[in-house]
């Protein structure tokens, strides 16, 4: 069974750093891209960026370039999303999801989401 | 960048009736070399991650009930639920994956009338 299991909810202060994770199982983790998607409270879905764990090829949406860092460790089938200095506006639910090919970027399996709350 | 605009923002439909959600892209997402529309649809129920329903604009994901169908080409697309069930209450999103940038529509909230 394909699963993407994300790390638990986080409560942080502005300026703090954070790294959340997404662990894949039930499929060849290195052979599928992982996407990160943001959903701010009561809002829609925003595509943040993607990584191919097989070679760590990473692409960012222009809105998120320089704001976050996406990485992966294929040896433990885990992808990461990290911030060096959180802002209150980073408060959101963050989802990881997988897709097979760069030209077929529909997301067929999703993680359960990680809620990040940034508040002083 | 391609902007995806859904309509309506919300709608209420009676059980057993047809529900139609529209998605318009600011430029064509039809790739002429393979005649495929780079468009997907998702369903998100409260407190859950989104679920893939449709890709290539009209291909139903495995396990998705056949009351869900996708149509359209170029810039105009439609998600149709042929006979609304109570479990279909959700927010629905379209997503394009044409080119290097991917984006979603703003979502359409579907409720029972």
């Amino acid at each position: 069974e394909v699963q993407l299991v994300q790390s638990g909810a986080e409560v942080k202060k502005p300026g703090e750093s954070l790294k959340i994770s997404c662990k894949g199982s039930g499929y060849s983790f290195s052979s599928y891209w992982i996407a990160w998607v943001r959903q701010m409270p009561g809002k829609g879905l925003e595509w943040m960026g993607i990584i191919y764990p097989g070679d760590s090829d990473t692409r960012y949406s222009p809105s998120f370039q320089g704001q976050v860092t996406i990485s992966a460790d294929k040896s433990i089938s885990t992808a990461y999303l990290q911030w060096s200095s959180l802002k209150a506006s980073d408060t959101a639910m963050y989802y990881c999801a997988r897709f097979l090919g760069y030209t077929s970027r529909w997301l067929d399996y999703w993680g359960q989401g990680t809620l990040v709350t940034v508040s002083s | 960048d391609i902007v995806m605009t859904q309509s309506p923002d919300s709608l209420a439909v009676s059980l057993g009736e047809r529900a139609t959600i529209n998605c318009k892209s600011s430029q064509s997402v039809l790739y002429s070399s393979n005649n495929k529309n780079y468009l997907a649809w998702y369903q998100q129920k409260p407190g859950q991650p989104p679920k893939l329903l449709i890709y290539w604009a009209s291909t139903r994901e495995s396990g998705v009930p056949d009351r869900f169908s996708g149509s359209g080409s170029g810039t105009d697309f439609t998600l149709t639920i042929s006979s609304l069930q109570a479990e279909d209450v959700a927010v629905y999103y379209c997503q394009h994956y044409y080119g290097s940038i991917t984006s979603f529509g703003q979502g359409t909230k579907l409720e029972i009338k």
Side-chain angles (χ1 to χ4, degrees):
Chain A
E1 178 195 9
V2 174
Q3 284 192 308
L4 293 170
V5 178
Q6 298 185 230
S7 49
E10 302 274 1
V11 179
K12 293 289 190 179
K13 290 181 165 47
E16 292 185 333
S17 62
L18 176 63
K19 191 173 189 177
I20 63 175
S21 66
C22 168
K23 183 173 177 59
S25 62
Y27 73 101
S28 175
F29 186 77
S30 297
S31 301
Y32 282 76
W33 292 78
I34 292 289
W36 286 96
V37 177
R38 183 175 79 175
Q39 188 166 39
M40 299 178 76
K43 301 299 184 182
L45 306 172
E46 298 174 271
W47 187 276
M48 300 178 70
I50 59 177
I51 188 165
Y52 187 72
D55 62 7
S56 292
D57 184 5
T58 307
R59 323 274 177 100
Y60 295 93
S61 174
S63 300
F64 293 92
Q65 179 81 49
Q67 307 305 307
V68 297
T69 301
I70 295 170
S71 60
D73 183 343
K74 63 182 180 182
S75 70
I76 54 171
S77 300
T78 302
Y80 302 96
L81 178 66
Q82 68 179 85
W83 296 259
S84 59
S85 181
L86 286 160
K87 302 184 282 287
S89 57
D90 293 318
T91 294
M93 181 72 80
Y94 293 88
Y95 293 103
C96 65
R98 75 165 199 177
F99 62 94
L100 180 58
Y102 189 74
T103 57
S104 51
R105 296 191 300 278
W106 61 80
L107 304 171
D108 63 351
Y109 282 89
W110 293 66
Q112 82 277 18
T114 296
L115 181 62
V116 174
T117 303
V118 184
S119 175
S120 55
Chain B
D1 296 354
I2 298 175
V3 177
M4 309 300 290
T5 303
Q6 293 181 225
S7 62
D9 289 332
S10 65
L11 79 159
V13 175
S14 301
L15 289 172
E17 295 299 303
R18 179 185 300 259
T20 301
I21 297 169
N22 301 301
C23 175
K24 187 175 185 67
S25 57
S26 60
Q27 56 187 272
S28 176
V29 297
L30 172 64
Y31 195 39
S32 56
S33 67
N34 59 10
N35 200 38
K36 287 183 179 293
N37 287 284
Y38 284 51
L39 191 285
W41 288 96
Y42 300 86
Q43 173 195 65
Q44 187 178 30
K45 296 181 180 180
Q48 296 184 19
K51 174 188 174 183
L52 176 67
L53 299 175
I54 303 278
Y55 55 93
W56 294 135
S58 60
T59 301
R60 199 178 302 114
E61 172 71 338
S62 175
V64 172
D66 60 7
R67 65 179 180 273
F68 291 91
S69 64
S71 62
S73 185
T75 61
D76 293 280
F77 301 90
T78 300
L79 175 70
T80 301
I81 307 172
S82 60
S83 176
L84 189 70
Q85 306 299 303
E87 61 265 32
D88 300 334
V89 168
V91 179
Y92 292 83
Y93 295 93
C94 61
Q95 173 217 356
H96 89 82
Y97 43 96
Y98 186 93
S100 60
I101 305 294
T102 303
S103 63
F104 296 92
Q106 82 277 16
T108 295
K109 186 174 184 179
L110 176 59
E111 299 172 312
I112 304 294
K113 184 187 292 183

